[in-house]
Amino acid sequence: MDRNNEKTHFLDSSKPVTLSPSWEAQKLPDDDLNFKGMGKVQHLPLKPPVDKWKLVFLIFLIHGLGTLMPWNMFITAKSYFEDFKLASPNANETTVYASNFMQYIGFASQIPNLIFNWLNIFVHLGGDLTKRIVYSILFELLIFIVTVLMAILDSSSWQDVFFWITMISVVLLNMANGIYQNTIYGMAATLPIKYTGAVVLGSNISGLFASIVSICSKYIFSSDRTSAIYYFITAMLILLICFDTYFALPLTQFYRYHTMLRRKEEKPLTNQPHQSTKVPYGTVLKQAAPQLFNIFFTFFITLSVFPAIHSDIKAVATDFVIPPELFASITCFLTFNLFAMLGSLTTSWIQWPKPRFLVVPVVLRVVFIPLFLLCNYLPKGIDRTLPVVITNEWVYWIIGIVMSYSSGYLSSLGMMYAPQTVQPKHQLTAGMFAAAMLITGIFSGILFSFVMPSLVAL
């Protein structure tokens, strides 16, 4: 078969391309293998097409950035919420909303995210893939518009109302994001392993991006209100880019090939036309369990210390190179997001240890919990009685760098390995399980972080 004939078999160009990467909306018989709006495919090409200019890799990286954008934008805006919107009129006092804001925002973010991540595996929430992603992004944009409006308004006289509006907005935002994130990881799992890595890399870039935007907005704008407005508008621009780039996926032969390949794998093995293929969730869960544990435990340890403990560690020395007002922004948020991104990026070239032994460094990371508690951790409203053992800011910073880098590196390996432990036709489901375990680890870590202030006050 020559190249021209091969190309003709792969895509019938006589019909227009519909910008929808989803096939579920069209009821195709089992022996048809095509996309909605695309001509009937008779044969897949003998040689898989390449991802020209790494376009598909870049798109999944952008969506990885978008999936954690809501979480990162809210936690990185800690100072805006605690020291501006929810600050007490008396400088010597702390409101109950400000003292526990990071824990509250963690619960409001991760409970709905956790529920909808798991539901999305078993129930097609929102319909087919396209509807799930598009509607989720549009809903998130709507919530960010509300957040910007709340930043514009002076809420000093109704802090309690502002707090609960913020919490409700975060809950709704993460309901949509749970569906969006889980679906994106499932889609990436059907492609070669590095595309799951692209989503994880994008999610780590998301945190770095949020930290840089936060620091820049504080320097550019003298007003906390103006800074917050443009800060949250930036998140809206990122989500608009995610919305637009999603529709570029079906325009690439590389993505179409792998999606058609997955569709072929999912076809029933019998010739009976009405027999459906049921996903063996128990088998998939059992086969992927070792890597699912690695994903869970990596994020559990990370979220036990970041950002709840990490962001409340203060400099002991008054003449440290970083000024006090930027100490948490740089040593916590910027450091974590930068080195988590670098750790994730490293997996593009190095994938060690192999799946069987990944659990060893994952479990060893438990040492970071006591290490951070022994730093100058001063939670709001708590009188610390535990002695501060690590008083050198550089030592604390190095501990933070190692924790951050290992988080990005090990979590990326776990997310990449998980879909490879099952049959190709079940990789989408394994990818969704991996995303759900990621969120489960985050939620469990946030829950565990609530006991940390009590541990230093014993």
Side-chain angles (χ1 to χ4, degrees), residues 71-360:
W71 163 253
N72 282 311
M73 294 303 279
F74 273 88
I75 65 168
T76 307
K78 176 183 178 181
S79 178
Y80 159 72
F81 288 108
E82 292 185 355
D83 302 328
F84 177 59
K85 281 291 191 178
L86 300 173
S88 172
N90 187 341
N92 297 322
E93 296 180 358
T94 302
T95 65
V96 64
Y97 300 122
S99 60
N100 293 304
F101 181 77
M102 294 307 289
Q103 285 86 352
Y104 287 132
I105 204 79
F107 268 105
S109 298
Q110 301 310 325
I111 288 179
N113 205 346
L114 175 71
I115 293 172
F116 278 79
N117 253 279
W118 281 101
L119 277 178
N120 194 50
I121 297 173
F122 307 103
V123 182
H124 290 174
L125 299 169
D128 58 39
L129 293 179
T130 295
K131 290 180 181 178
R132 278 183 261 176
I133 291 177
V134 169
Y135 291 163
S136 296
I137 294 176
L138 290 176
F139 190 77
E140 289 183 28
L141 284 168
L142 179 63
I143 297 299
F144 269 111
I145 291 173
V146 174
T147 304
V148 171
L149 291 176
M150 294 303 294
I152 294 173
L153 298 174
D154 181 3
S155 59
S156 57
S157 61
W158 39 280
Q159 285 186 339
D160 52 346
V161 176
F162 170 82
F163 174 82
W164 288 111
I165 290 176
T166 300
M167 291 299 114
I168 293 171
S169 297
V170 170
V171 168
L172 295 175
L173 187 68
N174 283 276
M175 287 170 61
N177 196 63
I179 299 171
Y180 174 37
Q181 183 181 46
N182 190 265
T183 305
I184 285 295
Y185 272 108
M187 291 173 62
T190 65
L191 302 174
I193 188 171
K194 68 178 182 180
Y195 290 87
T196 297
V199 180
V200 180
L201 176 60
S203 66
N204 286 313
I205 292 176
S206 174
L208 177 63
F209 178 83
S211 297
I212 293 174
V213 172
S214 176
I215 293 171
C216 291
S217 62
K218 290 177 183 177
Y219 268 107
I220 296 172
F221 304 104
S222 57
S223 166
D224 289 327
R225 177 176 287 105
T226 306
S227 172
I229 291 170
Y230 284 97
Y231 175 74
F232 289 117
I233 286 176
T234 304
M236 295 170 62
L237 294 176
I238 295 298
L239 288 173
L240 285 172
I241 293 173
C242 291
F243 180 86
D244 189 54
T245 55
Y246 176 73
F247 291 101
L249 282 174
L251 301 180
T252 65
Q253 288 189 353
F254 176 84
Y255 180 80
R256 290 201 302 272
Y257 170 84
H258 283 281
T259 311
M260 293 173 187
L261 190 63
R262 175 167 73 86
R263 179 66 172 172
K264 187 176 181 180
E265 291 283 349
E266 290 176 345
K267 288 172 60 178
L269 299 178
T270 178
N271 292 325
Q272 297 179 13
H274 298 293
Q275 181 173 340
S276 61
T277 303
K278 294 183 179 180
V279 178
Y281 294 109
T283 301
V284 173
L285 189 60
K286 182 179 179 180
Q287 291 175 344
Q291 300 311 319
L292 296 181
F293 170 79
N294 290 336
I295 295 166
F296 165 81
F297 201 72
T298 298
F299 282 98
F300 171 77
I301 296 300
T302 298
L303 271 295
S304 293
V305 297
F306 174 85
I309 299 178
H310 207 342
S311 62
D312 277 334
I313 293 178
K314 312 298 181 185
V316 176
T318 56
D319 58 346
F320 190 57
V321 64
I322 301 174
E325 63 272 15
L326 290 177
F327 187 79
S329 295
I330 294 176
T331 63
C332 173
F333 294 106
L334 183 62
T335 296
F336 176 83
N337 292 309
L338 172 61
F339 284 93
M341 181 201 72
L342 293 176
S344 180
L345 186 61
T346 304
T347 60
S348 299
W349 302 286
I350 302 173
Q351 294 171 15
W352 182 89
K354 295 304 179 184
R356 182 180 176 183
F357 300 103
L358 182 61
V359 66
V360 176

